[in-house]
Amino acid sequence: MCTRRRVASDTRTWRSLSHRQQARLRADEEFAFLSDPPRGPVIEVRSADGTRIHTEVFGPEDGHPIVLSHGICCAIRFWSYQIAELSRDFRVIAFDHRGHGRSGRPPAGGYTFERLGDDLDAVLRHTVRPGERAIIAGHSMGGIAIQSWASSFPDNVGRYAEAVALINTTPGDLLPHLPLPGSVPAQVLDRITRVAMSALGGLPVPPRLPLRAQLLDPVTVGRQASPAVRAAVREMILTTPTATRGGFLRGLSGLRSSDHDLADLMVPTVVVGSESDRLLPFAQSRRIESGLPASLGLITLAGGHCGPLEQPGRVTDVLRDLASSKARISTTA
């Protein structure tokens, strides 16, 4: 079951910015755009466990479908640039993952990557019409959701997906592949990290967290990220519910590459990584690309973890190429 309604556009309130900070950015056109992102008709989707998944559709009714799956502590607005550009020619479908944005909070135990795969499958079933196949793009945790979906619903991969883009994401086993200093044994480091992520992820964080720029910017965006992009990323992270942040951070710390089988992604898949990504380093993208059965190649972006916001034109071009069924995708940054 799904219902459809329209949401009027309105300027978002910035909970993580003071009035003085907003005043300093008011003349910035990019800040104005990210303050009032695109809005589309809403389709309320219910996942397998009953969680409400807020979904919006943009662009022409008869357009080729492109489905966008955002990362941890983000929301539909993360894809604002891609939605604005691609919806001119394509039917863009974007949704808030469970516990994020305007989607419902799941029942106890519902913050798992397997459930994210259920959510994506529910969105596809309600928005991709018979005879259609979509371009499915996932950033960070959204890319993990695609991998989980393919492993849980292998028969649906060919049914719903024409091609896939995995952006700034990982197959799992993060700790052994992170460039961490010191000689701490891997098992000890793994335990320490799990406890730290569980504790810190579950702590309430005020939207105007002191030193939020110093704490968040180095691991979320590259040095060249604009003030508006930095503000948008902090806003999404700091306004994500504590239970959501903690639940998925715990899951991420324990994610193993054996949890999902990349061989299930039997459709053409392009991998996009950023050269200065400190959260999920470029090596993670290289690992994914090497395990794909139908790889279209590995694209390198400048900047940090938030490629679709930091390099919007490049990411948009990749998705446009996929949706336009071009035979080759340029892999130059």
Side-chain angles (χ1 to χ4, degrees):
M1 287 291 293
C2 64
T3 57
R4 193 179 182 106
R5 59 186 174 84
R6 182 172 293 275
V7 172
S9 176
D10 62 339
T11 302
R12 289 181 183 265
T13 300
W14 291 78
R15 293 168 53 194
S16 64
L17 294 178
S18 68
H19 292 300
R20 180 177 298 178
Q21 290 170 321
Q22 292 185 58
R24 284 203 298 265
L25 288 167
R26 192 165 293 142
D28 185 330
E29 291 185 4
E30 187 175 27
F31 180 74
F33 171 71
L34 293 174
S35 295
D36 191 15
R39 294 286 180 89
V42 173
I43 294 179
E44 299 291 3
V45 176
R46 293 284 173 176
S47 191
D49 65 354
T51 301
R52 180 179 53 81
I53 306 300
H54 177 86
T55 305
E56 296 186 30
V57 182
F58 310 81
E61 285 284 337
D62 60 349
H64 192 102
I66 301 176
V67 178
L68 303 176
S69 170
H70 69 73
I72 189 171
C73 297
C74 292
I76 291 174
R77 71 185 297 189
F78 179 83
W79 298 104
S80 291
Y81 285 108
Q82 287 70 44
I83 292 170
E85 290 299 319
L86 293 172
S87 64
R88 297 177 181 180
D89 304 299
F90 305 100
R91 192 169 90 251
V92 180
I93 300 153
F95 65 99
D96 290 328
H97 278 293
R98 56 179 50 215
H100 293 80
R102 284 178 285 174
S103 282
R105 299 190 186 188
Y111 295 100
T112 69
F113 296 127
E114 289 73 21
R115 289 300 188 185
L116 291 182
D118 292 346
D119 298 348
L120 175 57
D121 194 69
V123 170
L124 293 170
R125 284 189 288 105
H126 286 303
T127 59
V128 179
R129 300 164 184 150
E132 287 184 329
R133 291 196 300 159
I135 305 303
I136 306 175
H139 173 264
S140 193
M141 185 187 75
I144 299 172
I146 294 174
Q147 297 172 65
S148 176
W149 167 71
S151 292
S152 297
F153 303 92
D155 293 340
N156 285 352
V157 174
R159 159 66 182 88
Y160 290 114
E162 179 177 36
V164 166
L166 299 175
I167 306 167
N168 299 118
T169 189
T170 178
D173 300 322
L174 299 183
L175 294 179
H177 298 87
L178 290 176
L180 298 174
S183 56
V184 179
Q187 290 183 337
V188 175
L189 185 61
D190 180 82
R191 179 61 179 167
I192 292 173
T193 303
R194 282 173 178 259
V195 171
M197 292 181 79
S198 177
L200 296 176
L203 290 175
V205 176
R208 296 185 187 177
L209 177 73
L211 300 177
R212 51 195 178 277
Q214 293 86 337
L215 291 170
L216 298 177
D217 290 4
V219 294
T220 57
V221 295
R223 293 179 179 178
Q224 302 304 314
S226 68
V229 165
R230 292 170 183 266
V233 172
R234 288 180 218 140
E235 175 77 13
M236 287 185 284
I237 293 173
L238 293 170
T239 57
T240 297
T242 302
T244 300
R245 186 179 67 250
F248 285 120
L249 280 177
R250 285 190 291 272
L252 188 61
S253 68
L255 181 67
R256 298 292 175 260
S257 57
S258 58
D259 293 343
H260 309 129
D261 189 352
L262 287 172
D264 292 319
L265 274 175
M266 295 297 295
V267 295
T269 301
V270 63
V271 181
V272 181
S274 298
E275 59 187 7
S276 300
D277 190 339
R278 296 181 181 178
L279 190 60
L280 296 179
F282 189 77
Q284 300 287 340
S285 297
R286 189 177 292 114
R287 289 175 58 216
I288 291 178
E289 196 276 333
S290 66
L292 290 170
S295 172
L296 290 174
L298 177 59
I299 295 174
T300 307
L301 302 178
H305 182 65
C306 295
L309 278 172
E310 297 180 67
Q311 298 290 325
R314 188 74 181 99
V315 172
T316 298
D317 287 345
V318 169
L319 300 183
R320 183 180 294 277
D321 286 354
L322 286 176
S324 300
S325 301
K326 294 185 179 179
R328 298 199 309 169
I329 294 177
S330 171
T331 57
T332 58

